[in-house]
């Protein structure tokens, strides 16, 4: 789920294989896809198809980006509801950097977009954080495909376990809700990964100077805080606590 500056909320309706839009007044509409019809088709509105879409993000122009989990692709929806595939090939799981259909993903789970139109992806089954440029060029920013773990480091030296949600700040730092390790990670624009909160492998809900998380799934930056969805709780981590 994500929102735009006009107060509209966008939802990846995973079970219905659709992308929904909720206006500030509470009016719900289906932006793309048809409820209950699974597939992968680039088209407009209800003619488009998704397969268990999960993460969504929206840019300042109203373009929506979708982590199409079981199609292993990153999709793009214009403000008019025109759906295209930005990167990956439907049904072809893997891990390959490249442009457009030459790239491969394995169960992309969360997405966020920066002011330059770069999309960042939390890749659930590859245990990596990927970057997709506005032109569809895919690179691996941090982690090594298929190697689960928890290690701070730069680029492929870092390890993640089931990264789930991602968000980005104005300086280009990426924050990752790491479901499998119960931690919040930070990836710099140059790919240096650090653990900013939580302890790998230790689950719980604990506030204060040494917070604990229970399988965090999503996060967002609001003013000076990072809002985190963890277990059955919504937690605030002060942005300055990084």
């Amino acid at each position: 789920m994500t929102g735009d500056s006009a107060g509209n909320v966008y939802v990846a309706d995973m079970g219905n294989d659709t992308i929904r839009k909720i206006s500030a007044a509470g009016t719900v509409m289906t932006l793309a896809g048809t409820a209950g019809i699974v597939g992968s088709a680039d088209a407009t509105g209800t003619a488009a198809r998704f397969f268990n879409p999960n993460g969504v993000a929206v840019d300042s122009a109203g373009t929506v980006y979708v982590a199409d989990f079981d199609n292993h692709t990153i999709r793009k929806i214009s403000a008019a509801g025109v759906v295209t595939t930005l990167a990956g090939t439907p049904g072809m799981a893997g891990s390959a950097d490249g442009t457009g259909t030459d790239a491969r993903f394995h169960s992309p789970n969360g997405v966020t977009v920066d002011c330059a139109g770069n999309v960042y992806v939390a890749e659930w089954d590859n245990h990596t954080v990927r970057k997709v440029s506005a032109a569809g060029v895919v690179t691996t920013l941090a982690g090594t495909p298929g190697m689960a773990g928890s290690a701070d480091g730069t680029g492929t030296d870092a390890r993640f376990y089931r990264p789930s949600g991602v968000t980005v700040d104005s300086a280009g730092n990426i924050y990752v809700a790491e479901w499998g390790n119960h931690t919040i990670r930070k990836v710099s624009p140059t790919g240096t990964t650090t653990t900013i909160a939580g302890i790998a492998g230790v689950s719980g809900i604990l506030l204060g100077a040494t917070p604990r998380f229970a399988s965090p799934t999503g996060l967002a930056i609001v003013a000076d805080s990072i809002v985190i969805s963890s277990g059955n709780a919504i937690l605030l981590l002060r942005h300055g606590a990084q």
Side-chain angles (χ1 to χ4, degrees):
M1 185 169 64
T2 190
D4 63 20
S5 59
N8 299 300
V9 175
Y10 300 85
V11 179
D13 194 354
M14 193 173 195
N16 277 321
D17 302 295
T18 55
I19 306 303
R20 316 292 290 279
K21 178 180 178 179
I22 308 171
S23 73
T27 301
V28 180
M29 63 166 287
T30 299
L31 183 63
T34 296
I37 301 181
V38 172
S40 182
D42 290 344
T44 301
T46 56
R49 296 289 179 265
F50 300 87
F51 188 10
N52 286 334
N54 200 353
V56 287
V58 61
D59 67 17
S60 59
T63 301
V64 178
Y65 299 87
V66 181
D68 199 356
F69 188 88
D70 277 321
N71 275 323
H72 312 294
T73 54
I74 305 302
R75 313 291 291 281
K76 181 178 178 179
I77 309 173
S78 74
V82 178
V83 179
T84 54
T85 300
L86 180 62
T89 296
M92 296 187 68
S95 182
D97 291 344
T99 301
T101 56
D102 289 335
R104 295 288 180 270
F105 299 88
H106 196 173
S107 306
N109 198 61
V111 287
T112 190
V113 59
D114 67 17
C115 59
N118 298 301
V119 178
Y120 301 91
V121 182
E123 200 174 10
W124 180 264
D125 275 330
N126 274 328
H127 313 292
T128 55
V129 177
R130 313 286 292 279
K131 178 181 178 179
V132 187
S133 76
V137 179
V138 179
T139 54
T140 301
L141 187 62
T144 295
M147 297 187 67
S150 180
D152 291 343
T154 300
T156 57
D157 290 335
R159 294 288 180 270
F160 299 88
Y161 182 30
R162 303 285 195 217
S164 181
V166 283
T167 193
V168 60
D169 68 17
S170 59
N173 297 298
I174 312 304
Y175 299 87
V176 183
E178 198 176 12
W179 185 91
N181 278 324
H182 314 294
T183 54
I184 306 302
R185 314 289 291 279
K186 176 181 176 180
V187 185
S188 76
T190 56
T192 298
T193 300
T194 53
T195 302
I196 63 169
I199 295 178
V202 179
S203 175
I205 299 293
L206 179 66
L207 306 179
T210 56
R212 298 288 182 271
F213 305 95
S215 301
T217 55
L219 71 177
I221 294 174
V222 179
D224 64 345
S225 297
I226 302 174
V227 182
I228 301 162
S229 173
S230 177
N232 294 320
I234 302 296
L235 308 176
L236 290 180
L237 178 66
R238 290 297 177 191
H239 206 224
Q242 307 155 36

